[in-house]
Amino acid sequence: MNNVALPFESFGVSHRGCVRELNEDSYLVEPETGLWVVADGMGGHDAGEVASASIVDHLATIGIASSAPDLRARFEDRLSRANAEIRRISQSRGVTIGSTVAALLAMDGRFACLWAGDSRVYLIRNGSISQISKDHTEVQELLDKGMISAAEALAWPRRNVITHAVGVSDEIVIDFQQGEIMPGDIFVLSTDGLTAHVTDAEIEAAAVSATPQAACENLLQMVLARGGTDNVTIVLVKIGDGRNGAYPSPSRAEG
């Protein structure tokens, strides 16, 4: 992370799962620019893959920012460009396509998490996991209004219907949370293919007990062993891990 003396390590994996024919997820791991992203495309017939790849392709052009506000501005600019491109593709095909996005930006000892849809960002700090993002879904809105219980939400028939995504309208609705980076922090970004099969406690246990690469691979195998009903993508960023302070090479993958 630019101008931050804390060592860190990051890794990402993506898999189509056990049921889906295509992987419509994409992800980005670019530690040199302080950016990590997951995106879950929707639309079917490869359109979802096009949408999530558009987000990743545009965000991959951010480059080295001069400050944390500059990084945030570059992120929002590239996301806006992706939104416009996805809109053009939707109109040319006569269908609605789009993608969730969940991103971690980190620079100058600060972090910002930005998201649209139900892909998530978790923070594990001081032995406790918390979900930083808040799902943009119909079921979350019902929970917020007290119309259904948490137990009912797990089996709600429309629990996977999202209310915000990139590419579905001319204006992007995106939420964010920001804060200070602390030594030992672990950020986990994932599409809903992970959280459909793995609990928050299991995510925490896997993340704290292994390197980011091993943790990602262990979580993926857990999902596949439990049926992997959706595409699954996991990106893990570990801050101040004394076992490995090396800066990994930037890498990028698309579903």
Side-chain angles (χ1 to χ4, degrees):
M1 272 161 288
N2 310 351
N3 306 322
V4 177
L6 294 172
F8 74 95
E9 203 181 350
S10 60
F11 195 78
V13 295
S14 188
H15 195 283
R16 67 181 178 88
C18 303
V19 177
R20 302 292 180 90
E21 293 183 1
L22 294 173
N23 187 356
E24 295 188 313
D25 288 359
S26 298
Y27 74 95
L28 187 65
V29 174
E30 294 223 340
E32 285 190 353
T33 60
L35 175 64
W36 297 263
V37 180
V38 298
D40 181 354
M42 58 185 188
H45 306 293
D46 86 5
E49 180 180 357
V50 169
S52 66
S54 175
I55 291 172
V56 164
D57 288 344
H58 281 88
L59 290 176
T61 70
I62 279 180
I64 306 299
S66 60
S67 64
D70 181 38
L71 179 60
R72 170 76 179 271
R74 290 176 183 226
F75 175 88
E76 293 179 348
D77 171 71
R78 299 323 191 266
L79 195 63
S80 178
R81 296 184 194 184
N83 188 72
E85 180 177 77
I86 297 166
R87 297 288 288 161
R88 288 194 295 271
I89 295 170
S90 295
Q91 291 165 5
S92 68
R93 297 187 180 189
V95 295
T96 299
I97 65 174
S99 176
T100 71
V101 64
L104 169 66
L105 283 61
M107 192 174 186
D108 296 338
R110 302 280 299 176
F111 74 85
C113 297
L114 304 97
W115 70 94
D118 61 356
S119 292
R120 293 180 176 177
V121 183
Y122 290 93
L123 170 61
I124 302 168
R125 175 177 286 178
N126 297 327
S128 179
I129 187 170
S130 59
Q131 183 181 332
I132 297 180
S133 61
K134 187 173 185 179
D135 296 349
H136 293 147
T137 58
E138 285 189 3
V139 73
Q140 185 64 54
E141 290 183 354
L142 293 172
L143 278 168
D144 291 345
K145 294 175 182 176
M147 298 175 68
I148 62 173
S149 67
E152 289 173 321
L154 294 175
W156 197 254
R158 291 170 59 84
R159 64 187 178 278
N160 294 324
V161 176
I162 62 175
T163 54
H164 299 307
V166 180
V168 299
S169 62
D170 291 334
E171 297 296 324
I172 306 173
V173 176
I174 192 161
D175 278 342
F176 78 97
Q177 292 285 345
Q178 58 188 359
E180 183 180 353
I181 297 168
M182 304 295 290
D185 283 351
I186 303 173
F187 293 91
V188 182
L189 289 69
S190 76
T191 58
D192 64 341
L194 172 67
T195 49
H197 297 283
V198 181
T199 66
D200 291 3
E202 288 172 326
I203 293 172
E204 178 186 351
V208 301
S209 64
T211 64
Q213 179 174 350
C216 285
E217 292 171 349
N218 291 341
L219 287 168
L220 175 58
Q221 290 307 311
M222 199 179 299
V223 170
L224 298 179
R226 296 175 183 179
T229 56
D230 198 356
N231 306 149
V232 55
T233 299
I234 309 156
V235 169
L236 197 147
V237 184
K238 186 172 287 192
I239 311 296
D241 182 355
R243 291 172 296 176
N244 184 353
Y247 280 70
S249 299
S251 62
R252 183 160 63 97
E254 297 163 12

